[in-house]
Amino acid sequence: MEFNYDQIKEKLKGYDLQTKIQLIALAQCLYDRKNLDHQQDQELDQMEADYKKRVEPLIEASNQIISGQRVVKEEEVEDLKEYLNAQEQPILDNKEPIENYWSKVLLNSKTLKNEVIGDKDEPLLKAITNIKGFENKEQHKLGLVFQFKANDYFPEEELKVEFLLDDKQGEPLKVESTKINWKEGKNISVKIVKKKNKQKKKVKEVEQKTIFQLFKNLDVKDWEKLEEDKKEEQQQKMDMCYDICRLIYDEILPYSLEYYLDVHVEDEDYEGDDMDDDESDDDEELTKEEAIKRMKERRGFKK
């Protein structure tokens, strides 16, 4: 909480007595209001911390069920009979992963399908065995970890992307990612374009539409000496990567079953013709209270 007491005191000296008295009373109201704001911030931070602590076991249970790391527990399927056909008998000893779970989840996101996922992505999406998100507010970091089974595209079993954020605005300052060692002829992130001229052939790599453009290494400090158009180009790449990460972390991972079943109503904040278009007519800055209210509205779920 900031209260510029010395500045306010100095400013008040220039007013007539009656106005000064009224402004002093207003200053006390302002001080009390800022105290309440500070208390609310602390309460909301505590609420968020308590929520994360309580939701962690649910995240772990979900990951284990999806990946087939454990059998389903009886208490998790108490109303199972409501979903069975007359001929079906419940078997709770299955430890197989849910086939193509994450590929279906990602492909059922309208934003990812329209803006991010490319025509050649699906075989690799089917190789995803798990997606985990992480956030460290004290270190101002946010990231994702994608885990893969053996595939024909790259040897990495795990791809990680991590953003360092500005501590005030929360804007991305740096992104570090696992280097993908694409197998020969399997790099779906670029297309080789050959141009001929009178003297020699030129070969150029052109980036392709794919979710694997998420795994970049960018740092705003490296752009300081670039021309403005080059800076803007790099910033757009950074923003695009961050928007993808944020969407997956905030919306897709917590509610992956809704995406898998294709019943999720995607938040309008993420939909549109261009994910990195910051100039929306209805842009607004939300207080923590408003943000939590909106979050609860998005998380509405009736069993």
Side-chain angles (χ1 to χ4, degrees):
M1 180 196 70
E2 293 183 4
F3 188 75
N4 300 320
Y5 176 79
D6 291 335
Q7 284 184 295
I8 291 175
K9 184 178 179 181
E10 191 63 33
K11 292 281 187 180
L12 289 177
K13 292 179 180 179
Y15 290 88
D16 63 81
L17 179 60
Q18 185 56 47
T19 303
K20 189 183 298 184
I21 293 172
Q22 291 171 306
L23 292 178
I24 290 171
L26 285 177
Q28 183 60 47
C29 291
L30 175 61
Y31 177 76
D32 292 342
R33 172 64 183 267
K34 291 213 171 191
N35 264 330
L36 284 175
D37 289 346
H38 181 60
Q39 291 174 23
Q40 184 188 50
D41 285 345
Q42 289 182 316
E43 290 170 4
L44 291 174
D45 288 342
Q46 186 59 51
M47 283 175 59
E48 186 176 7
D50 291 343
Y51 170 80
K52 287 188 175 181
K53 186 176 180 179
R54 294 168 64 185
V55 83
E56 192 62 36
L58 300 177
I59 295 172
E60 182 64 22
S62 298
N63 287 336
Q64 290 176 344
I65 294 168
I66 293 166
S67 59
Q69 293 178 11
R70 70 164 173 83
V71 298
V72 173
K73 298 176 182 178
E74 289 188 11
E75 60 266 27
E76 293 172 334
V77 288
E78 289 179 350
D79 54 353
L80 178 63
K81 292 181 180 179
E82 296 181 21
Y83 302 91
L84 298 181
N85 300 326
Q87 299 80 14
E88 291 179 322
Q89 295 297 322
I91 300 173
L92 301 184
D93 61 354
N94 177 45
K95 289 185 70 175
E96 292 296 319
I98 301 175
E99 187 176 5
N100 298 329
Y101 182 86
W102 289 109
S103 65
K104 195 170 182 180
V105 167
L106 297 175
L107 287 166
N108 280 343
S109 164
K110 294 179 178 61
T111 301
L112 292 184
K113 186 68 184 291
N114 294 336
E115 306 291 338
V116 178
I117 294 174
D119 296 336
K120 298 180 180 180
D121 281 10
E122 191 166 348
L124 249 182
L125 297 182
K126 289 181 178 179
I128 298 173
T129 59
N130 199 6
I131 305 175
K132 295 181 179 181
F134 60 90
E135 184 175 23
N136 188 320
K137 291 199 170 181
E138 291 182 358
Q139 297 180 9
H140 311 293
K141 290 182 178 181
L142 176 79
L144 299 170
V145 177
F146 288 67
Q147 296 173 338
F148 296 83
K149 61 185 177 182
N151 61 80
D152 296 330
Y153 291 82
F154 48 71
E156 285 75 24
E157 296 180 355
E158 187 174 283
L159 297 180
K160 179 181 178 181
V161 57
E162 180 177 275
F163 289 86
L164 175 65
L165 308 177
D166 174 70
D167 60 355
K168 293 182 180 178
Q169 301 298 325
E171 296 296 327
L173 300 175
K174 184 178 182 180
V175 55
E176 292 182 327
S177 303
T178 305
K179 183 181 185 298
I180 303 177
N181 295 295
W182 296 98
K183 295 180 181 179
E184 187 175 354
K186 293 293 185 176
N187 189 348
I188 62 174
S189 68
V190 296
K191 181 179 180 180
I192 305 299
V193 178
K194 297 180 180 179
K195 292 185 178 181
K196 293 182 179 180
N197 58 28
K198 294 180 180 180
Q199 297 178 343
K200 59 181 180 179
K201 293 181 181 179
K202 286 187 176 181
V203 177
K204 183 180 180 182
E205 289 187 348
V206 179
E207 289 189 351
Q208 299 297 290
K209 179 183 176 184
T210 170
I211 196 171
F212 294 92
Q213 297 292 1
L214 172 63
F215 301 97
K216 292 185 179 298
N217 289 280
L218 300 167
D219 191 333
V220 294
K221 292 180 180 177
D222 298 335
W223 311 341
E224 293 175 357
K225 296 181 180 179
L226 294 179
E227 296 178 0
E228 284 304 316
D229 58 338
K230 294 294 184 182
K231 281 185 182 179
E232 186 176 347
E233 182 182 335
Q234 294 299 308
Q235 187 64 55
Q236 286 177 352
K237 287 181 180 181
M238 175 85 86
D239 291 343
M240 185 68 163
C241 291
Y242 182 64
D243 286 345
I244 297 170
C245 181
R246 194 87 250 182
L247 170 62
I248 294 174
Y249 181 82
D250 288 338
E251 290 289 319
I252 294 177
L253 293 187
Y255 315 112
S256 64
L257 177 62
E258 293 178 332
Y259 282 92
Y260 181 82
L261 299 174
D262 201 16
V263 297
H264 187 87
V265 178
E266 202 149 325
D267 191 278
E268 62 183 8
D269 289 348
Y270 292 108
E271 292 184 15
D273 296 329
D274 193 349
M275 283 183 69
D276 61 5
D277 184 1
D278 292 324
E279 297 181 5
S280 173
D281 291 337
D282 50 12
D283 278 353
E284 55 181 331
E285 291 187 8
L286 300 180
T287 65
K288 276 193 175 182
E289 188 175 31
E290 291 168 333
I292 287 181
K293 182 180 178 182
R294 177 172 291 188
M295 177 181 69
K296 288 178 178 177
E297 289 172 350
R298 288 208 303 263
R299 289 177 179 170
F301 175 78
K302 294 181 181 179
K303 187 174 179 181

